[in-house]
Amino acid sequence: MIVPSFRLLLWFAIIALPFSVLGAVYPNALGISVALISALLVVILLDAALSFAQLDAIVVELPDLIRVSKDRPATLTVNIIKPVAVALRLRLGVALPRALVSPNEDVTVSLASEVETSQIAWTFTPNRRGNFRLTTAFLETSSRLGLWAIRRAAPVRCEIR
């Protein structure tokens, strides 16, 4: 899924809005207004098309089983596997049940281009006993020009007891 970023909204506000009004008010400026707005739309669509599959190769792995104690801090080791040799700034979130309280909803990680596997220690504290399953991790990164936020839900398997 792609979502417009603040940068895209800013460029749209700087170029499309004023030039659409300018072209409507002054007929002589209509040609340049249409050209600038069209060029902006082409750049926006190219950025989306070239960046859409940026997160497809990334795999998130969690341990199969973690044993923890109630009201004691614990650590979840998150492995991010990136087979493509490209540097990437990634925002990662794990769908924790309400009984597992974490100080962070998400973390931002910079993945180096020469490293294939990165490891993150995610701290949490269980406030209730039970068996909890983690099934989804959420990934987000910027498009190549930063006009879009590319998001994807990655399936994971982890049981916390």
Side-chain angles (χ1 to χ4, degrees):
M1 169 181 5
I2 61 173
V3 179
S5 70
F6 178 75
R7 185 178 291 177
L8 172 62
L9 298 176
L10 179 69
W11 279 108
F12 193 82
I14 290 172
I15 294 175
L17 294 178
F19 281 98
S20 64
V21 172
L22 184 69
V25 174
Y26 297 108
N28 293 340
L30 182 63
I32 195 162
S33 296
V34 169
L36 282 174
I37 294 171
S38 299
L40 176 67
L41 290 177
V42 167
V43 168
I44 289 171
L45 292 175
L46 275 175
D47 187 39
L50 294 175
S51 304
F52 189 73
Q54 204 167 359
L55 293 176
D56 288 349
I58 295 177
V59 177
V60 178
E61 289 183 348
L62 302 177
D64 291 332
L65 177 67
I66 300 175
R67 296 186 186 273
V68 295
S69 297
K70 180 184 171 200
D71 296 327
R72 292 195 180 177
T75 302
L76 174 66
T77 303
V78 180
N79 291 322
I80 302 170
I81 302 167
K82 177 187 58 80
V84 181
V86 73
L88 191 63
R89 186 169 176 85
L90 185 70
R91 184 173 162 209
L92 172 73
V94 178
L96 294 174
R98 290 182 187 237
L100 305 176
V101 180
S102 177
N104 305 330
E105 279 189 17
D106 55 45
V107 293
T108 303
V109 184
S110 294
L111 305 175
S113 60
E114 62 273 355
V115 178
E116 185 176 319
T117 303
S118 300
Q119 202 171 64
I120 300 167
W122 195 291
T123 58
F124 66 95
T125 305
N127 61 10
R128 196 176 83 201
R129 288 185 172 91
N131 289 341
F132 306 102
R133 296 192 192 313
L134 304 181
T135 58
T136 309
F138 300 98
L139 305 169
E140 177 182 294
T141 191
S142 293
S143 62
R144 296 174 194 266
L145 296 177
L147 300 176
W148 299 96
I150 289 83
R151 295 178 179 169
R152 181 174 77 91
V156 294
R157 289 185 52 199
C158 180
E159 183 177 355
I160 299 175
R161 295 182 185 169

